[in-house]
Amino acid sequence: MNRIVVCCVAAALAVAAVACSNPQATENRDTAAATTTGSPVPPPAPGTPVITISGMGYSAPITVAPGTQITIVNDDEVAHTVTSRTKGLFDVHVGGKQRAVLTAPSEPGEYGFDCTYHPAMVSNLTVK
Ligand SMILES: [Cu+2]
């Protein structure tokens, strides 16, 4: 009986040690990534707005409410941007195989955007 208790305590301690060390490791990795590619962005939750970039093109245009956080998922190896054609409204850089977040403008409207690096990449964001 005592042996079982000891085993359980040891197992619990091992789990606790792993639980304690994991967040720190993640934090270190995040910090390292932040210096080179910007803040890591978690995978988009189901049902949240996403603009996917793959094959040098954007996914279908989306419509969102003002101020919505849109996850940009870049499936290409190369970096892209989501840059408003109206200068200065938004300009989000997303590295190859990275994610970024675009906050939709607060004013309803049609917002055309393109990629700074690949001007042939064009799409549209509707805010209403
Ligand atoms: Cu591009």
Side-chain angles (χ1 to χ4, degrees), residues 56 79-81 115 117-118 121:
M56 308 295 280
H80 294 292
T81 73
C115 174
Y117 307 127
H118 313 103
M121 291 175 61

Side-chain angles (χ1 to χ4, degrees), residues 35-121:
T35 58
T36 53
T37 61
S39 301
V41 174
T48 60
V50 176
I51 296 172
T52 303
I53 305 172
S54 67
M56 308 295 280
Y58 301 106
S59 56
I62 59 172
T63 301
V64 299
T68 298
Q69 304 267 98
I70 303 164
T71 303
I72 313 295
V73 177
N74 183 3
D75 282 341
D76 282 347
E77 299 284 347
V78 299
H80 294 292
T81 73
V82 175
T83 305
S84 58
R85 306 200 85 169
T86 303
K87 204 170 178 344
L89 283 178
F90 52 84
D91 181 16
V92 175
H93 178 276
V94 54
K97 298 292 181 184
Q98 302 285 313
R99 290 183 291 266
V101 172
L102 164 65
T103 302
S106 53
E107 291 294 316
E110 296 281 321
Y111 296 92
F113 60 84
D114 58 20
C115 174
T116 303
Y117 307 127
H118 313 103
M121 291 175 61

